[in-house]
Amino acid sequence: MAAPAKRITLPRARKPAEIREIFSRFQAANPEPKGELDHTNAFTLLVAVVLSAQATDAGVNKATRALFAIADTPEKMLALGEEAVREYVKTIGLFRTKAKNVIALCERLIAEFGGEVPATREALESLPGVGRKTANVVLNIAFGEITHAVDTHVFRIANRLRIAPGKNVLQVELGLEKAVPPEFGRHAHHWLILHGRYTCKALRPECLRCIQNDLCDSADKRIA
């Protein structure tokens, strides 16, 4: 007989006042956080985010610097062709599939959206290589919408700080939509990403310099 599946017990979500305090501290420390993917317009942002799946922002920026200098519109990227795009992004993981998707999404943008990046989740997710997280990033950065793009860092911090505990990324995203006070919404996922990337790391969180240290009661907390 197979062993029963192990139940995952989620931590209890924080009270609204505590969540407000967390984001107030993030805001005081970094009032205007920015995404770390280099881009010049909505199209290059979209391509950069598609390329960033399972890759670092620094690695993507290194590969796209020369690419975006000559191809910053769907028309220019399509004229460049898949083989050339592949050469530019070959240092990025899954580069063959990603180059194919970039060309395919350019074709779709030109054929269905007049060469413009659409501003709705449904339209964005209809593009090759674009999933919910990518759509959320583009909607937030390019169009100023309040969205919560949940990557591995956001997932970790939302659970560790008990802002929006969840077993999967969708649960965390929907939890953040309810938990994050509206005035912090536009920047919330940037603060969480940066906090996870540079302070509250997966294996060795730097708790002694964390601005949320006194509020954190995570089992992963390091006290020395």
Side-chain angles (χ1 to χ4, degrees):
M1 180 180 295
K6 184 178 180 181
R7 292 188 61 185
I8 300 175
T9 303
L10 293 174
R12 177 176 52 83
R14 286 186 180 275
K15 296 178 180 179
E18 295 174 323
I19 293 173
R20 181 176 295 277
E21 174 63 20
I22 287 171
F23 283 102
S24 294
R25 293 183 184 189
F26 282 140
Q27 184 181 59
N30 186 5
E32 291 289 332
K34 304 295 183 184
E36 296 187 320
L37 284 173
D38 293 340
H39 62 281
T40 58
N41 55 31
F43 171 69
T44 54
L45 172 65
L46 174 61
V47 172
V49 181
V50 168
L51 294 173
S52 71
Q54 300 181 46
T56 66
D57 287 0
V60 172
N61 291 339
K62 186 176 180 180
T64 57
R65 195 166 294 121
L67 175 62
F68 291 161
I70 62 171
D72 59 356
T73 68
E75 294 81 5
K76 292 177 183 177
M77 192 72 73
L78 192 57
L80 198 57
E82 183 179 336
E83 184 176 347
V85 172
R86 195 162 57 235
E87 280 299 305
Y88 278 102
V89 303
K90 64 184 179 182
T91 57
I92 301 173
L94 306 174
F95 71 94
R96 291 183 179 85
T97 299
K98 291 176 180 179
K100 183 177 182 179
N101 283 335
V102 167
I103 292 300
L105 74 82
C106 288
E107 292 173 337
R108 187 77 63 82
L109 288 174
I110 294 167
E112 298 185 17
F113 302 102
E116 299 294 327
V117 175
T120 68
R121 185 192 307 281
E122 182 181 10
L124 284 166
E125 289 187 14
S126 74
L127 299 172
V130 178
R132 187 177 182 90
K133 186 183 77 172
T134 296
N136 280 338
V137 173
V138 173
L139 289 171
N140 179 269
I141 297 177
F143 300 108
E145 291 194 19
I146 293 177
T147 60
H148 301 283
V150 180
D151 68 354
T152 182
H153 300 300
V154 174
F155 184 84
R156 182 170 67 253
I157 305 309
N159 277 287
R160 277 183 177 171
L161 285 179
R162 297 193 288 113
I163 299 168
K167 298 178 183 178
N168 56 57
V169 294
L170 183 57
Q171 281 187 3
V172 169
E173 179 185 337
L174 297 179
L176 288 171
E177 287 181 358
K178 295 178 181 179
V180 178
E183 63 267 34
F184 301 117
R186 191 166 66 87
H187 293 317
H189 92 269
H190 291 300
W191 283 318
L192 297 177
I193 288 171
L194 295 172
H195 190 61
R197 185 173 289 166
Y198 297 112
T199 303
C200 195
K201 302 172 185 178
L203 298 179
R204 297 183 65 84
E206 298 184 19
C207 301
L208 294 181
R209 67 180 189 86
C210 176
I211 61 174
Q212 312 293 355
N213 187 301
D214 59 313
L215 296 176
C216 180
D217 54 12
S218 169
D220 297 329
K221 185 174 182 180
R222 296 165 61 89
I223 58 176

